[in-house]
Every structure is written in structure tokens, then in C-alpha cells.
């Protein structure tokens, strides 16, 4: 019965790649706290975004199919469909559309139901849900303490990361956040070394964390 989960995982990820450009063209342009305009979402709906999203999504879905048990794959749907898309937009603009995060939150409900249908135990599902809440709480606290050191958009995307990371168990959750945070720090250091001004997009590193943890899990025993 679990064979359909892999097919849905691939189709959902492919649909997200196809839907991102029209979504970017339809989104209202955000206004900054200083009254300035946002990144120009419409201008991001181009071939470069499609190519980047296609490559990132292909790698992400391949990791899930190879490293995540079939019954747990639905818990990765919000991250695959919305988290990867948000990371691509953030990488190009340092902005994350809140609508993508909201869609990921909403997708979490049918994803959990599908995981139960596939045989995921209630303890595993509870661990994933706890991971989502804990990640959101942790990044909210970091946002409050840092006073703008991280953007609130990273707080919005944290539940998608935490849900997938939590499906790997407590140790996998910690490794996911640790790897994502470390990767973000390396990117920030490289940007500073290369003299690149402006804020560092953090979502790509944060989203990459669970995928790296899933790949490294067999090495951890």
C-alpha cells in the first residue's frame, strides 16, 4: 500500500516547481517596516528561479525517496513542497513569502493523516509534531533575543523543518537543526569574506538541515 506515497511525494514536489512562478506573479508586493517596497516577487518568476527550484527539488525528493522510510515520507511533504520553494525565493531575494509558509502549515494536516494511513505509529507522529512546535518555539526565541538577527520569516518556516526533522527521532531533530545552523554560519562567513553586502539568506541552510541529517543517519549507527 505504501507505494503510492513515493508517487505522491514526487508529484507534489513537481507541482510545487510548476506553481511557484504563477504564485510569485500573483503575490502582493510586501512593504518593509521603513515603508520601502519588497524584493519584486514578479521579477523572480523567471527561468533562473525555475531552474534553481527544479535542481533543488530533484535533489531533495531523491534524498527522501532513498533515506526516509515510506510511512514517514508524507511528513516531509510540507518541507518538499513549500520549504524548498521558500528557500529558493530566499536565496534569490532574502525574502520568504508568508503565503508559502501558511500553505506548508496547512499541508501538515493531510500529511499527518497520510502518515497514519501508511502505518506511522502515534509515538512517531507525536515526535514529528513535537519537533515542529519545538523548532518554531526555538526560532521564535532566537528572533526575540537577536532583535532582528534572524528574520521572522525563518520562524514561520521552522515548523516545516521541525516536522520533517522530528520524523527522524530526537537525535535526528537535533542533527537537522545543528547542521542547518552550521551551514548557515558557513555561508554567512563566506559572504563576509567575499565582501558581499546585505543580509544572508538563512532559509536554504535551514531547509537543507533535515535532508543532510537523513543522509548522515546511517553513519551515526
Amino acid at each position: 500500500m505504501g507505494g503510492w506515497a513515493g508517487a505522491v511525494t514526487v508529484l507534489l514536489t513537481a507541482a510545487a516547481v510548476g506553481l511557484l512562478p504563477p504564485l510569485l506573479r500573483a503575490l502582493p508586493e510586501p512593504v518593509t517596516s521603513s515603508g520601502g517596497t519588497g524584493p519584486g516577487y514578479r521579477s523572480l518568476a523567471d527561468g533562473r528561479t525555475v531552474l534553481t527550484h527544479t535542481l533543488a527539488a530533484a535533489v531533495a525528493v531523491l534524498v527522501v525517496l532513498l533515506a526516509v522510510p515510506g510511512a514517514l515520507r508524507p511528513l516531509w511533504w510540507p518541507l518538499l513542497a513549500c520549504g524548498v520553494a521558500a528557500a529558493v525565493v530566499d536565496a534569490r531575494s532574502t525574502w520568504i513569502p508568508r503565503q508559502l509558509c501558511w500553505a506548508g502549515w496547512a499541508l501538515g494536516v493531510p500529511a499527518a493523516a497520510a502518515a497514519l494511513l501508511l502505518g506511522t505509529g502515534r509515538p512517531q507522529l507525536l515526535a514529528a509534531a513535537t519537533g515542529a512546535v519545538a523548532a518554531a518555539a526555538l526560532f521564535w526565541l532566537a528572533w526575540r533575543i537577536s532583535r532582528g538577527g534572524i528574520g521572522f520569516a525563518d520562524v514561520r518556516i521552522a515548523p516545516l523543518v521541525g516536522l520533517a526533522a522530528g520524523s527522524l527521532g530526537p537525535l535526528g531533530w537535533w542533527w537537522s537543526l545543528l547542521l542547518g545552523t552550521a551551514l548557515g554560519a558557513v555561508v554567512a562567513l563566506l559572504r563576509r569574506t567575499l565582501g558581499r553586502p546585505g543580509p544572508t539568506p538563512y532559509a536554504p541552510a535551514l531547509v537543507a538541515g533535515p535532508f543532510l541529517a537523513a543522509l548522515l543517519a546511517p553513519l551515526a549507527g
Side-chain angles (χ1 to χ4, degrees):
M1 183 177 67
W4 61 267
V8 173
T9 300
V10 173
L11 290 174
L12 190 64
T13 306
V17 173
L19 289 173
L20 182 59
L23 173 65
L24 289 172
R25 286 191 287 266
L27 283 177
E29 193 64 20
V31 178
T32 66
S33 57
S34 59
T37 58
Y41 285 140
R42 181 177 290 272
S43 67
L44 298 178
D46 58 11
R48 180 181 170 189
T49 293
V50 172
L51 178 60
T52 303
H53 194 184
T54 299
L55 294 175
V59 172
V61 78
L62 185 61
V63 171
V64 171
L65 294 177
L66 292 177
V68 178
L72 296 176
R73 288 171 187 165
L75 299 176
W76 291 69
W77 290 350
L79 188 63
L80 283 168
C82 302
V84 174
V88 170
V89 176
D90 190 35
R92 291 207 59 193
S93 67
T94 71
W95 285 71
I96 300 175
R98 65 186 65 190
Q99 292 84 351
L100 277 175
C101 300
W102 294 341
W105 299 352
L107 184 57
V109 176
L116 276 175
L117 184 62
L118 286 167
T120 297
R122 292 183 185 275
Q124 288 176 297
L125 192 60
L126 179 60
T130 301
V133 174
L138 181 64
F139 277 86
W140 179 86
L141 184 61
W143 171 74
R144 290 284 293 182
I145 293 174
S146 68
R147 298 181 181 274
I150 68 170
F152 194 76
D154 296 318
V155 181
R156 294 193 189 101
I157 203 173
L160 314 186
V161 174
L163 183 68
S167 74
L168 301 174
L171 186 59
W173 184 88
W174 278 111
W175 273 110
S176 296
L177 269 64
L178 179 62
L179 289 168
T181 302
L183 181 58
V186 170
V187 171
L189 181 61
L190 286 174
R191 287 175 61 90
R192 180 172 297 183
T193 302
L194 295 172
R196 300 188 64 177
T200 298
Y202 186 39
L206 182 60
V207 167
F211 297 103
L212 293 174
L215 284 175
L216 294 174
L219 300 179

